[in-house]
Structure formats: C-alpha cells, structure tokens
Amino acid sequence: AETQSAVVQPLAEMEFVITGTLQSLKRAEAEEKVKALGGEVGNSVTRQTTHLVIGAEPGSKLAKAQELGAKVLTEEEFLKLIGEKVK
C-alpha cells in the first residue's frame, strides 16, 4: 500500500479564495496548484477562509476577508507561497 506521507502538503488545513484577475495563472490553474499542495479552494469568503488571493479588481471579497481576519495575499505573495517563479 502506498502512503501519502511522501507527498508534501504545505497548504494542508488552509482554505484559499481567489478573487480578481491574476496575471500569471488562470484561476483554474491557481486552484489546481492549491489542491495539489493540500489546500482547499472556496468560492466565497467564509470563516473557514484562511487566505484571500487578490488579482486586479478584487471586489467585495477583499472587504469580507479583512472583516473575518483572513490573510490577504497579492498574486506575487501567492506565487512565492506555492513555490512558483514570479514572472
């Protein structure tokens, strides 16, 4: 039986919501990367949301994340977190 322990999941127990337009990744790609690293992806900001990734024109989710105390990441900060090269 294969074990999951070899898989590094640095984003385990974290839930990300992505809002606005990202420059270097499509939203679906960003969501796949979060899931691959063990994180969850939400569509709306809730008490479970730990991180909000903001692209251009983030909209009302930003205020909600700040109100609930989620960590707000720029696209650049998000790319560093997931180990992507910043273009």
Side-chain angles (χ1 to χ4, degrees):
E2 287 187 34
T3 60
Q4 288 284 325
S5 61
V7 178
V8 178
Q9 297 199 309
L11 305 185
E13 319 248 335
M14 296 182 193
E15 182 176 293
F16 289 76
V17 173
I18 300 167
T19 189
T21 306
L22 301 180
Q23 300 303 311
S24 56
L25 295 172
K26 289 186 174 67
R27 186 175 305 210
E29 291 175 313
E31 291 176 355
E32 284 303 311
K33 290 179 186 299
V34 167
K35 289 175 186 171
L37 295 171
E40 298 289 322
V41 177
N43 290 321
S44 58
V45 176
T46 67
R47 293 196 186 285
Q48 278 69 49
T49 306
T50 58
H51 294 75
L52 179 71
V53 179
I54 56 169
E57 301 176 32
S60 62
K61 290 178 181 171
L62 177 56
K64 180 89 171 170
Q66 289 168 328
E67 182 186 318
L68 294 174
K71 186 169 175 117
V72 177
L73 299 174
T74 63
E75 182 174 356
E76 193 173 313
E77 290 167 329
F78 172 68
L79 292 172
K80 285 182 186 160
L81 183 70
I82 63 171
E84 290 288 306
K85 297 276 184 275
V86 179
K87 294 183 175 101

